[in-house]
Amino acid sequence: MNASPLADSLLVRAARRQPVPRPPVWFMRQAGRSLPEYRAVREGTTMFEACRDPELTTEITLQPVRRHGVDAAIFFSDIVVPLAAVGVDVDLVAGVGPVVAEPFRTRADLDRLPALTAEHVPYVVEAVRQTVAELGDTPLIGFAGAPFTLASYLVEGGPSKSHERTKAMMYGDPQLWHDLCDRLAQIAGTYMTVQAQAGASAVQLFDSWVGALPRRVYESCVQEHSRRALGMVAEATDVPRIHFGVGTGELLHLMGEAGADVVGVDYRVSLLDAVDRLGPSYAVQGNLDPALLFAPWEVLEREVRRIVDEGRQAPGHVFNLGHGVLPATDPSVLTRVVELVHSLGQ
Ligand SMILES: Cc1c2[nH]c(c1CCC(=O)O)Cc1[nH]c(c(CCC(=O)O)c1C)Cc1[nH]c(c(CCC(=O)O)c1C)Cc1[nH]c(c(C)c1CCC(=O)O)C2
């Protein structure tokens, strides 16, 4: 069991529901197209080239920490990096997202999904080590895509709003669905564990699209697989686990039960309602609407203060957006939000 590094950081303390003078703040997608320095270093490099280059990965991960002074870094990678590492033919198309050359539809397709080991991702181990060394006192969050969200990309072949082929497999061939998710759980669990063992202080499991499912189906088709992925991290390390999805108001408690310390809340549900649904055993993360970063400062300031106030009613609160930073966001507004949260100590 690896002890959690930076156990006294605000992030780890808030995640463990220990008292903190103010909430830690970081932003999903804080490293990315909203930053001119990101666009500059990415010029002429594909997303996968950047993800497989430890120097570049380290630089991109550090950029938002330097610029905004956020209380945590998130490792620069993508949820499909471990799928590509085991041999899946997947591309990251700018402005679109992951595109899978041959979508997964039959049992024979499982042969294209071998188990992930640390040897598949040496550049991740190297980049996490370098990043952690350069971050000093700022914790690094490792992450993976959850089985449902990864399965959706594999089965649909790309981004989908309706997830029709994914649901067709889930309802029509449950055994194949469970076998696919079992492999994806191993991949997600290993990917997070590798990052934690290389020095990440926390991990986040992104089940971005699972809000497309009713509670009953989450329970019977998804929860056990996310539980396995999070359980692999818990067995190997004691880093806190964050579990996030979009449109998951109905699923929050089940996502906590799947093995989270912190449940991510999107902007559709108030933190007070989230705490009601979750009870005392979980910290919450969120939940400023990323679109509000385009609103006048007075409006934004009021919302940030409201969220920090609501977070004080939670057993633990990590300030974040309700989903990722939009590419057109003015980065100086993000810096100002960080300064405001930092000024709101008790
Ligand atoms: C669903 C999902 C994906 N990837 C991810 C998720 C879960 C988070 C969420 O719900 O938003 C996770 C992800 N992807 C990326 C990060 C890195 C770090 C960070 O959050 O700052 C993280 C945490 C980098 C990236 N991943 C991607 C980019 C953009 C590609 C580029 O800059 O060339 C980045 C910075 C590509 C990608 N990959 C994916 C999408 C939807 C896209 C965007 C497509 C686009 O609009 O161009 C799949």
Side-chain angles (χ1 to χ4, degrees), residues 265-267 269-271 285-289 307 317 320-322:
V265 181
D266 82 0
Y267 50 85
V269 178
S270 84
L271 289 184
Q285 175 174 279
N287 67 345
L288 182 73
D289 185 340
I307 289 165
H317 178 216
N320 206 313
L321 305 179

Side-chain angles (χ1 to χ4, degrees), residues 67-88:
R67 179 190 271 260
H68 303 308
V70 281
D71 299 306
I74 179 151
F75 184 61
F76 184 77
S77 183
D78 191 82
I79 57 169
V80 297
V81 165
L83 300 181
V86 298
V88 175

Side-chain angles (χ1 to χ4, degrees), residues 28-31 33 38 42 47 74-79 92-98 143 153 206 208-209 323:
M28 290 182 275
R29 292 286 176 98
Q30 63 189 16
R33 276 173 296 179
Y38 170 80
R42 275 291 316 280
M47 182 67 191
I74 179 151
F75 184 61
F76 184 77
S77 183
D78 191 82
I79 57 169
L92 277 165
V93 180
V96 177
F143 72 91
Y153 284 113
F206 280 96
S208 302
W209 313 136
H323 199 187

Side-chain angles (χ1 to χ4, degrees), residues 26-340:
W26 70 280
F27 305 114
M28 290 182 275
R29 292 286 176 98
Q30 63 189 16
R33 276 173 296 179
S34 68
L35 299 183
E37 59 270 36
Y38 170 80
R39 297 195 296 269
V41 296
R42 275 291 316 280
E43 210 158 311
T45 314
T46 67
M47 182 67 191
F48 277 124
E49 283 166 353
C51 292
R52 289 172 188 146
D53 176 338
E55 269 74 39
L56 198 47
T57 297
T58 302
E59 166 59 22
I60 294 172
T61 304
L62 287 163
Q63 283 176 347
V65 179
R66 277 190 215 120
R67 179 190 271 260
H68 303 308
V70 281
D71 299 306
I74 179 151
F75 184 61
F76 184 77
S77 183
D78 191 82
I79 57 169
V80 297
V81 165
L83 300 181
V86 298
V88 175
D89 186 351
V90 54
D91 197 9
L92 277 165
V93 180
V96 177
V99 175
V100 177
E102 287 176 71
F104 282 52
R105 302 279 162 78
T106 68
R107 180 154 294 278
D109 292 321
L110 294 181
D111 295 343
R112 294 192 275 136
L113 213 52
L116 180 76
T117 65
E119 286 70 48
H120 284 111
V121 283
Y123 42 86
V124 169
V125 176
E126 181 53 36
V128 170
R129 285 193 185 132
Q130 270 189 40
T131 304
V132 166
E134 293 205 23
L135 276 169
D137 290 342
T138 304
L140 176 70
I141 301 168
F143 72 91
F148 175 83
T149 290
L150 291 177
S152 172
Y153 284 113
L154 289 179
V155 175
E156 304 294 335
S160 167
K161 287 201 165 67
S162 45
H163 310 281
E164 63 261 41
R165 290 178 184 273
T166 311
K167 290 182 182 180
M169 182 189 288
M170 187 185 281
Y171 289 99
D173 192 345
Q175 193 56 55
L176 175 57
W177 169 259
H178 282 294
D179 291 346
L180 173 61
C181 286
D182 189 55
R183 294 193 183 208
L184 293 171
Q186 188 282 335
I187 289 173
T190 302
Y191 197 59
M192 289 188 287
T193 303
V194 163
Q195 294 168 75
Q197 290 182 328
S201 294
V203 294
Q204 176 157 328
L205 187 64
F206 280 96
D207 211 349
S208 302
W209 313 136
V210 79
L213 297 180
R215 202 149 54 188
R216 156 183 66 79
V217 178
Y218 183 85
E219 251 180 316
S220 59
C221 295
V222 175
Q223 191 187 35
E224 67 191 89
H225 303 293
S226 297
R227 180 181 283 127
R228 177 168 175 228
L230 290 165
M232 286 175 72
V233 181
E235 241 169 65
T237 80
D238 68 355
V239 305
R241 288 149 280 144
I242 309 168
H243 195 182
F244 168 80
V246 179
T248 46
E250 295 293 319
L251 305 177
L252 291 174
H253 191 257
L254 295 174
M255 291 178 72
E257 266 186 354
D261 299 287
V262 184
V263 177
V265 181
D266 82 0
Y267 50 85
R268 292 166 185 85
V269 178
S270 84
L271 289 184
L272 296 179
D273 286 342
V275 170
D276 267 354
R277 292 171 199 187
L278 282 161
S281 306
Y282 306 98
V284 292
Q285 175 174 279
N287 67 345
L288 182 73
D289 185 340
L292 279 172
L293 296 166
F294 296 77
W297 174 252
E298 299 69 41
V299 177
L300 180 53
E301 175 173 5
R302 203 168 54 229
E303 284 298 294
V304 171
R305 287 177 180 274
R306 183 183 58 75
I307 289 165
V308 170
D309 281 344
E310 290 188 5
R312 292 208 172 102
Q313 310 299 312
H317 178 216
V318 178
F319 189 97
N320 206 313
L321 305 179
H323 199 187
V325 174
L326 297 162
T329 305
D330 173 353
S332 70
V333 176
L334 287 170
T335 308
R336 217 170 156 190
V337 170
V338 173
E339 288 167 357
L340 176 58

